[in-house]
Structures are given as C-alpha cells and as structure tokens.
Amino acid sequence: MSPIRRLRRLRRAELPIDTVKLARFLIGKVVVHHLNTGRLTGRIVETEAYPIGDAAGHAFRGKTPRNGSLFLQRGHAYVYFSYGSSFLLNVSSERSGVGGGVLLRAIEPLEGIERMARSRGKMLIADIGRGPGRLTRAMKVDLRQDGLDLCAPGPLWLGTTTQATGAIGRSVRIGLSRNVRRPLRFYERGNPHLSGPKRLRQ
DNA sequence: TTGGCGATTGGCT
DNA sequence: GCCAATCGCCAAT
C-alpha cells in the first residue's frame, strides 16, 4: 500500500481545549499507530464528547486510578476496558487537572487495512472500524496505550486531515442511561463506517 | 468484601 | 431488533 502523503502530527496548540469543540474538530482527522511491522492509520468519522460536569462521563465522580488519563493535558490517550470485552479509546480534553474527554467511536481504515481485517474473517471492511470497541481492535490499541501523549513523538498519534471532510452531523450519544438527550455525538454524514442506527448516520 | 452496572459486541430471530 | 456474555470498577456495606 502506498503511504499517505502530506500527513503530519497535530500539535497540541491546534487542538481546541473545549471538549465539545474538540469532538467536532477530530472528525476527518486521523489516528496513527506505529507497530514494528508498519503503521496502521484510521480516519476518524465519529466521536462523542464527555465534557466537564457530564454525569455520563467517567471523570464525573473525580479522579480514580482508572480514569487518571482524562485529567492530563489535552491530547493524551485514555483507554479503558468495557463490558468485559472491549477497549475504548478517548482523547483527553480541557486543561491539565480538569477531567474531560472525547470518545473515538468509528474510523475509516486507511493504512494497514489487510492487517486490521486479519482475524476478522469475512467481516466487511465497512464494519472493521465501526464502533468504539472495534476501532481499538483494528488499531491494536489496549491498556498499554493508556496515558500516551498523542501530540508527542511516540507510537500513537493524531494526524492532519488527508482528504476533504464532508458535512458534519450532530446527534445524541449512543449506549447511555444518563444525560441521554444531550447532542454530543459528531459524525461525517453518510460515511459508510459509522456506528449506531441508520437514523443517526444521516 | 460485595454486587450492581456499564461510553459493547456478536449471534440469533 | 433483541439479548446474553463477560469482568473490572467502585460505591455501599
């Protein structure tokens, strides 16, 4: 596969401090994970904001051993293990010491698609990065990446847009039981790699 | 020390 | 679309 040209790391100064603005900003950007054997790249097409004071957010009850990464300066990885089976990747937001984050819910695979698809049998390419747990499985992200600085030299980082970003949609978040009505999910309209019901993809 | 619950997924109807 | 599996976290005991 030919490497993507004009792809560079995002600087922290480019990331909006505000959680909701960051969630919107990240649509169309990319996540890159360098492995010994090459790199995996996914274009972010769906995010959710978990801002300050949000009862659905993991930072809501204060800092604990698990969620400490949410309180790091914006642009750090917060990874946690969910439902006994999936790892979920967030980008920390807000100022250092303030808990907030953006959940990455879906990617469009760009580089390393074949390796992402390995062990996934006949799963469609469109399904490989659809959903927060599948996203981390495709990108080979787990607890070892928790706390990494995505804006510093390192194996996991955020990159600039590689192609024009389509219209951005906004909806309620998925899978919550608290604060269910807040429209804090962002997505690229009509992208085939989105998670959630059809009505939340248009 | 314990048990209810969750930012999900995959399989089945 | 519905539901069970699965297990670490953490609030309450």
Side-chain angles (χ1 to χ4, degrees):
Chain A
M1 172 181 322
S2 61
I4 298 171
R5 286 187 277 185
R6 298 197 315 278
L7 177 58
R8 69 162 176 84
R9 291 172 189 254
L10 286 169
R11 295 179 289 272
R12 197 179 328 274
E14 296 175 84
L15 304 183
I17 295 175
D18 177 80
T19 304
V20 179
K21 288 184 175 141
L22 178 62
R24 190 175 205 284
F25 172 85
L26 288 176
I27 299 298
K29 307 300 189 294
V30 301
V31 188
V32 184
H33 195 184
H34 286 259
L35 306 174
N36 291 333
T37 45
R39 75 184 191 188
L40 303 174
T41 304
R43 182 168 173 271
I44 300 167
V45 297
E46 181 183 344
T47 63
E48 281 178 355
Y50 288 86
I52 300 169
D54 174 17
H58 286 185
F60 184 64
R61 294 173 202 284
K63 195 171 170 180
T64 69
R66 172 173 75 146
N67 68 15
S69 301
L70 281 177
F71 293 77
L72 297 172
Q73 198 174 25
R74 68 188 187 281
H76 284 75
Y78 165 52
V79 183
Y80 75 96
F81 187 56
S82 178
Y83 285 104
S85 59
S86 305
F87 297 101
L88 275 65
L89 171 63
N90 299 250
V91 178
S92 69
S93 57
E94 304 299 336
R95 299 183 186 280
S96 180
V98 178
V102 174
L103 171 68
L104 304 187
R105 284 198 59 92
I107 53 154
E108 173 181 341
L110 295 183
E111 293 179 309
I113 298 177
E114 187 139 328
R115 245 176 320 155
M116 293 179 185
R118 201 171 296 164
S119 85
R120 305 249 53 176
K122 294 178 181 172
M123 180 178 273
L124 300 173
I125 297 298
D127 291 333
I128 288 176
R130 152 186 287 143
R134 291 173 175 175
L135 179 156
T136 56
R137 184 160 164 185
M139 293 295 299
K140 305 267 192 286
V141 166
D142 58 34
L143 258 26
R144 289 172 292 186
Q145 284 74 43
D146 181 46
L148 289 185
D149 186 348
L150 304 175
C151 298
L156 187 65
W157 47 279
L158 294 169
T160 48
T161 300
T162 57
Q163 57 186 278
T165 305
I168 295 178
R170 184 169 182 168
S171 80
V172 295
R173 295 173 292 183
I174 294 174
L176 303 186
S177 59
R178 323 178 67 154
N179 264 341
V180 296
R181 306 185 71 134
R182 297 185 73 180
L184 297 178
R185 171 177 173 265
F186 295 90
Y187 57 99
E188 183 177 53
R189 286 187 185 280
N191 188 289
H193 303 267
L194 298 177
S195 74
K198 266 185 186 166
R199 64 188 167 81
L200 294 184
R201 301 181 197 174
Q202 319 174 50

